[in-house]
Every structure is written in C-alpha cells, then in structure tokens.
Amino acid sequence: MSRTFPLSAEQLSDLIKTYPTPFYIYDEKAIRDNMRYFKTAFSIFPEFREYFAVKALPNPYILKVLKSEGCGADCSSLPELILSEKSGISGKRVMFTSNDTPAEEFVYAAEHGHIINLDDFSHIDFLQNTLGGRLPETLCFRYNPGPLKEGGNAIIGKPEEAKYGLTREQILEAYMVCKKNGVKHFGLHTMVASNELNPDFFVDTAKIVFELVLDVQKHCGVNIEFVDLGGGVGIPYRPEQKKVDLEYVAKKIRALYDSLIVPAGLDPLAIYFECGRPITGPYGWLVTTAIHHKHIYRDYIGCDASMADLMRPGMYGAYHEITVSGKEHEPCTRVYDITGSLCENCDKFAVQRSLPEIADGDVLIVHDAGAHGRAMGFNYNGKLRCGELLLRPSGDVVQIRRKETIDDYFATLDFAGLDTFET
C-alpha cells in the first residue's frame, strides 16, 4: 500500500518554521474516521466498547478526541489513570489492566470506580487487604491460555512464556473465591499477541474466551457479564501487508457468540477491546530533518531525531516506511541506513533502505508512528524528547505537547545540594 501524509511539502516546510523538527504530528480527522469504522464493525453486538490503550499514545488531547467518539481507556499505571480522568474518561469507562501493581494504584482505581482487571490469583488477597478487607463489586481476570493458544511474537512472546494472566484452573478458583467474598459482577480478559495481522487469530481467541465463559458458568455458577478480547490488532507497517478486516472479524465472532453465548443464556454479553495501535498508529508521523551524511562501508543519513524519539526499530527490529518530503515520486536510486545520534549502533530508523537521494536539510517522514512512538521515548544520552502536534479537521495545527527542555531534564536533580556534597 502507498503511504500518504496529510500535509504537502510546502505546508510542512511552513510548519517547521514554527515547530522545528523533530516532532510527532497526528491527524485528528483520520483518527476519528478510523474509530468510527471500528465501532461500526462491532455494532452487530448488543454492547461494544473500545477501551483505548493509553500506553500507545498517552496524550490528553488524543484521549479527549477518542472519548468524544465513545471510547473508554485501558490503563496500566497510576499516571495513566490520572491522565484518563483529566481527559474526562472516568468510572467504569476506565479499565485498570496492570501487573505487579503497587497497593496505592489499586486504591486509586477502586476509589474512582474503575474496573480492576487482576493479573494473578495472589492479587485477590493483596487487593482485599489493600482495600481494608473488601473487594470491589466488579472484578475482571486476565486469562493466559498457555499452549492452548498457538502463536505469539517477539513483542509479547508465546502465551506459556509470558508473565501475564491466570491459568484455566486458577481462573475457575478465582471466580469462586471472589463470589464468596461478595463480588457481584465479573468480566474475563485475555491478551495473547501484539501487532497481529491474521484476522482469524482474533476469531480463534474469541472462541477460547467464550468457551471459558461457559466453563465458568458451569463450574462456578458465575455469569460473566463482559469479555475484554484484548488488543493486538496490527497495522500494515510494510508496503506488502494488508490491514485487518475488522468487519470480517466482527462477523466471525458474532457467529461464535450466537452458537455459544446465546444458547447458554448469557446474552447480552458485552464485548470490549483495548486496542491502541490500530486506532492511532497509521495516523501519526515522526518528522525529522537530515543533518549529516556519511559514506564509509555503507551510506548513512544522520537525522535530528534518534531512537530516543522512536525506539521500535532499534528495540524490535520493527519496520517503518520512510518518505522524503517533496521527493515522494522520485526514483529510489540510493541505499541508506537512516540513523540518529545515540551512542548505540541499533539507533537506526531504517537499514539498507532504498530511497531517493537525500541531501542535508531534506525532511524525512517516518510513517505509522502514531502508537508506541513518542510514548516509548526516553532520555538516554541526555536526549530531550520531541513534542507533539495535532492536525485539526479545520486544517489548523496545534501543539499538544511541547518539546522537552534541558530544565526538564535537570528538574529532578538537586544542584543546590551539590555545593555541600563532600567527596
């Protein structure tokens, strides 16, 4: 598939005069349209909700946009819970899916009426003790199907090797224990892959979850009220890949729902997802400027962005399409490694990539960076993380996160105490 960018070379050049590179920019209209496609595909269920994975793009402006499209928020930490609240997403519109969770984070989630999704059997006692001997009226548990679910990938690993979730036997015991301790409403969650492009993978996952719902009903006398089928829906980072057909996925899962859930008297069963990548991923771009070229055993183009701004290629060997602004239709006559300035050889956005000839000052656009991009940034080598911009449907561009400054980097250090520090 061909890669598009919502601004012309001239528009981008003008924008850079106000907001120098590097920066992320997101397309609000495209994100809205994409979320509406997601909701429409799953509107064939009695109740459906997407709990946007905040970790993918933790910006309150984006969360507010998604809230207006009916999204909830899936959170993994106290700051993400607070960010969701500040964005107007509250109560049971927030799913707290965490692991190895500190007590104060459970307290905050319980006090704010969020759905707590427990990751281990031992967390029942931990949560109960944390909350003064009680449990919330609503609880969810994360299921790890182990070898029952084939697949996995480098991002999340094979289910039986992943640190997440409860076994089937633990799940059944967990529901019985919680029922005896006053829990009234139950959910079931699983998440067994990341960036998966095979639509049948999600149908197979739904079948495993639905069958466990029936087992819980049979062995525990508990009726599951909602299932969270996780996220993991991939996007076509590579040109030859295809987008997941969500309408196909929804229809296939609906057929399973009608054959398994309805006869068991569990209709209506709410269907939730916690996707991040397929919602915003294709509609965010990292924009960077070529500032150096180097010719040794390979040809290198050095950028003013680095792995500190986008770590996926260096961490996972992930592929991101790159285009050169204004040279989109020029022939790809050169082969480059596109690099940043970290003291790490894995600091590369592309390796041996065929591109048009690049001159210092050319603007490079790294595509499909709208999820797990700026969010995974870091400060190694004292790098300052870049800012974020939002292209509004009106065509206006607003800054939704400024660039970090040196003062930000030094904010947690006590330089005043250094003067009296003895060595």
Side-chain angles (χ1 to χ4, degrees):
M1 61 181 292
S2 60
R3 291 296 190 266
T4 60
F5 182 69
L7 300 177
S8 68
E10 293 74 21
Q11 289 173 320
L12 183 57
S13 179
D14 287 341
L15 184 63
I16 291 171
K17 294 174 184 176
T18 303
Y19 303 105
T21 60
F23 57 74
Y24 278 88
I25 185 167
Y26 311 107
D27 186 338
E28 178 184 336
K29 182 180 184 302
I31 290 171
R32 287 185 181 277
D33 290 345
N34 193 40
M35 188 58 238
R36 291 169 187 174
Y37 160 68
F38 200 116
K39 286 172 55 182
T40 299
F42 285 89
S43 64
I44 57 178
F45 290 93
E47 181 181 345
F48 169 78
R49 177 164 297 121
E50 154 68 1
Y51 284 80
F52 179 72
V54 176
K55 62 180 177 286
L57 210 177
N59 188 294
Y61 290 82
I62 299 297
L63 294 181
K64 190 171 183 179
V65 166
L66 292 173
K67 175 186 180 292
S68 72
E69 296 295 336
C71 284
D74 181 84
C75 300
S76 302
S77 69
L78 180 56
E80 289 186 356
L81 291 172
I82 295 172
L83 188 61
S84 299
E85 290 277 347
K86 288 183 176 295
S87 305
I89 306 174
S90 60
K92 287 185 168 48
R93 291 294 182 101
V94 176
M95 183 81 66
F96 185 42
T97 302
S98 68
N99 60 92
D100 296 327
T101 303
E104 62 269 20
E105 300 194 0
F106 277 138
V107 170
Y108 184 96
E111 289 179 346
H112 286 77
H114 304 326
I115 299 173
I116 295 177
N117 183 20
L118 293 179
D119 184 64
D120 187 67
F121 185 85
S122 68
H123 292 179
I124 299 172
D125 285 344
F126 184 84
L127 179 63
Q128 193 166 21
N129 293 334
T130 296
L131 299 181
R134 61 183 177 85
L135 288 172
E137 287 194 354
T138 300
L139 271 182
C140 185
F141 289 96
R142 180 170 184 166
Y143 174 49
N144 183 331
L148 184 64
K149 181 64 176 174
E150 296 180 358
N153 53 35
I155 297 177
I156 204 168
K158 295 180 180 179
E160 64 268 33
E161 297 175 0
K163 68 173 184 174
Y164 309 106
L166 289 75
T167 67
R168 178 184 179 277
E169 291 74 19
Q170 289 174 333
I171 282 279
L172 296 178
E173 186 177 357
Y175 286 119
M176 289 188 286
V177 168
C178 289
K179 180 182 178 183
K180 290 178 182 178
N181 281 272
V183 178
K184 298 179 180 178
H185 307 286
F186 292 94
L188 177 62
H189 165 269
T190 196
M191 172 82 173
V192 292
S194 183
N195 196 32
E196 177 61 53
L197 289 173
N198 178 6
D200 290 312
F201 185 96
F202 307 103
V203 179
D204 181 52
T205 298
K207 183 174 186 293
I208 291 172
V209 172
F210 288 167
E211 288 174 345
L212 183 54
V213 166
L214 300 185
D215 285 345
V216 170
Q217 182 190 49
K218 177 181 178 181
H219 296 288
C220 308
V222 167
N223 286 351
I224 301 294
E225 297 179 14
F226 64 87
V227 293
D228 184 338
L229 298 177
V233 178
I235 62 175
Y237 287 103
R238 294 180 177 273
E240 68 273 14
Q241 293 174 329
K242 293 182 179 180
K243 180 179 179 180
V244 174
D245 185 343
L246 293 178
E247 292 181 347
Y248 169 90
V249 172
K251 289 176 182 177
K252 287 288 189 177
I253 295 178
R254 178 70 212 211
L256 291 172
Y257 183 97
D258 290 338
S259 64
L260 296 172
I261 299 302
V262 173
L266 293 171
D267 179 45
L269 175 71
I271 306 296
Y272 300 155
F273 272 87
E274 56 171 67
C275 292
R277 190 189 318 268
I279 306 301
T280 59
Y283 309 111
W285 300 263
L286 173 61
V287 179
T288 180
T289 299
I291 58 174
H292 293 289
H293 60 273
K294 181 174 183 175
H295 307 287
I296 48 173
Y297 306 105
R298 292 182 175 182
D299 291 339
Y300 295 91
I301 297 296
C303 302
D304 60 1
S306 72
M307 184 181 171
D309 297 303
L310 178 63
M311 71 185 298
R312 295 188 70 255
M315 183 175 184
Y316 300 125
Y319 181 97
H320 283 264
E321 191 78 355
I322 295 175
T323 54
V324 184
S325 182
K327 297 183 178 180
E328 294 86 353
H329 303 294
E330 292 189 11
C332 297
T333 57
R334 301 295 299 270
V335 176
Y336 296 110
D337 281 13
I338 307 297
T339 67
S341 58
L342 286 190
C343 299
E344 298 292 337
N345 194 45
C346 62
D347 181 18
K348 297 180 179 181
F349 296 114
V351 176
Q352 294 295 277
R353 186 74 60 86
S354 295
L355 291 164
E357 184 165 356
I358 298 173
D360 291 352
D362 279 349
V363 176
L364 277 58
I365 300 166
V366 183
H367 294 257
D368 300 311
H372 308 288
R374 173 60 171 74
M376 297 176 76
F378 53 93
N379 291 123
Y380 179 59
N381 270 175
K383 292 298 180 182
L384 305 175
R385 289 171 289 187
C386 66
E388 296 175 300
L389 308 177
L390 182 65
L391 174 63
R392 304 300 311 275
S394 64
D396 295 334
V397 175
V398 296
Q399 180 175 260
I400 58 175
R401 188 195 299 269
R402 64 167 174 79
K403 291 184 176 183
E404 289 184 336
T405 66
I406 292 176
D407 286 341
D408 293 329
Y409 181 75
F410 289 148
T412 56
L413 295 173
D414 180 12
F415 285 111
L418 190 64
D419 293 336
T420 59
F421 180 71
E422 295 183 2
T423 59

